[in-house]
């Protein structure tokens, strides 16, 4: 709903508003450097047989003409305005007529897709599958850190291919992505009341403890010892003292 602020969607960074489309089970990835304004419209049941692009495994992204973009934005704003007003049902159009107006604006938008090389690259699925597989493995393993070679082997690709996928969809190197993941795992353990900061850091592969502390503070805005202390206070409220 806005322009001029970069956003990385499906591995491609754009500063102009676009339209994206996804069906049931489709995935997408996005990184916002600053807050963006956007609207998500979900149709139930799923819309079919309108000639819209097929998103496939991931949400597809499309550049459309400025005229179609402005028209779709205005329709969405009007729908939000009408449905948010405190008025009787009889005083505004039925849900079916609102839906038809919205569908017409979306039809119009997809009829005015602007062919663009960047969109073709954003809608390719091979690298997206590599990234999604990596994300799924890392989300499911919390017992120990996974390093680059092990992760690439589990996915069945080279480390370079994995690095390229992470760089594209997250905008950081594979090394930094895995390091950030390990920092989050340490934080999770500290919040749960780990025995000590040192033991927790070493368990997740941080052997240079002063460097670990700096990285942790930079990422979370507090020292790891502060996180652990706060978790212990929450676990044992009687340990806190309040002055009257």
């Amino acid at each position: 709903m806005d322009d001029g602020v970069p956003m990385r969607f499906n591995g491609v960074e754009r500063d102009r508003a676009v339209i994206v489309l996804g069906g049931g089970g489709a995935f997408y990835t996005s990184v916002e450097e600053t807050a963006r304004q956007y609207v998500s419209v979900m149709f139930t049941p799923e819309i079919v047989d309108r000639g819209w692009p097929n998103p496939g495994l991931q949400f597809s992204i499309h550049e459309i003409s400025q005229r179609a973009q402005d028209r779709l934005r205005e329709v969405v704003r009007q729908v939000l305005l009408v449905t948010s007003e405190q008025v009787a049902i009889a005083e505004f159009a039925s849900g079916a007529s609102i839906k038809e107006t919205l569908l017409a604006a979306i039809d119009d938008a997809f009829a005015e897709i602007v062919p663009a090389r960047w969109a073709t690259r954003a809608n390719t699925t091979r690298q997206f599958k590599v990234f999604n597989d990596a994300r799924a493995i890392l989300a499911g393993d919390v017992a120990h850190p996974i390093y680059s070679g092990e992760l690439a082997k589990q996915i069945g690709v080279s480390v370079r291919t994995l690095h390229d996928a992470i760089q594209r969809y997250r905008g950081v190197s594979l090394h930094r992505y895995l390091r950030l993941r390990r920092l989050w795992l340490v934080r999770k353990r500290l919040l749960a009341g780990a025995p000590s900061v040192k033991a927790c850091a070493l368990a997740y592969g941080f052997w240079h403890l002063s460097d670990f502390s700096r990285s942790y503070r930079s990422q979370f805005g507090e020292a790891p010892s502060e996180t652990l202390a706060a978790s212990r206070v929450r676990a044992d409220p009687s340990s806190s003292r309040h002055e009257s």
Side-chain angles (χ1 to χ4, degrees), residues 25-187:
F27 297 92
Y28 70 89
T29 174
S30 63
V31 178
E32 296 180 42
E33 297 293 337
T34 57
R36 295 295 305 269
Q37 295 181 355
Y38 55 90
V39 171
S40 297
V41 180
M42 292 175 285
F43 293 101
T44 304
E46 189 171 348
I47 299 296
V48 295
D49 299 329
R50 297 194 75 94
W52 296 353
N54 180 14
L57 173 68
Q58 67 185 47
F59 277 62
S60 59
I61 180 170
H62 307 277
E63 183 172 331
I64 57 179
S65 71
Q66 190 63 52
R67 188 203 70 82
Q69 183 76 58
D70 293 341
R71 167 64 177 162
L72 183 55
R73 280 176 173 170
E74 183 58 27
V75 168
V76 169
R77 289 192 183 100
Q78 291 301 318
V79 169
L80 293 175
L81 178 63
V82 169
T83 56
S84 65
E85 291 180 344
Q86 299 299 313
V87 295
I89 296 293
E91 293 182 17
F92 62 86
S94 68
S97 61
I98 292 176
K99 178 179 178 180
E100 183 62 23
T101 301
L102 184 57
L103 286 173
I106 297 173
D107 286 343
D108 190 29
F110 283 126
E112 298 194 23
I113 290 178
V114 177
R117 182 177 298 178
W118 69 265
T120 300
R121 178 170 179 266
N123 294 333
T124 58
T125 60
R126 182 176 181 273
Q127 274 194 324
F128 185 83
K129 185 178 185 306
V130 172
F131 168 75
N132 208 44
D133 287 348
R135 184 170 57 177
I137 291 172
L138 293 173
D141 191 294
V142 296
H144 66 279
I146 297 180
Y147 297 107
S148 56
E150 179 186 354
L151 183 58
K153 184 176 180 180
Q154 288 192 40
I155 297 172
V157 298
S158 69
V159 172
R160 183 64 195 182
T161 296
L162 178 58
H163 168 83
D164 290 345
I166 296 299
Q167 182 74 52
R168 173 179 172 182
Y169 289 104
R170 277 294 176 261
V172 297
S173 69
L174 172 60
H175 172 75
R176 177 160 175 74
Y177 184 71
L178 293 177
R179 183 180 175 85
L180 288 173
R181 169 62 178 164
R182 289 188 288 124
L183 281 173
W184 276 104
L185 290 174
V186 170
R187 182 170 178 81

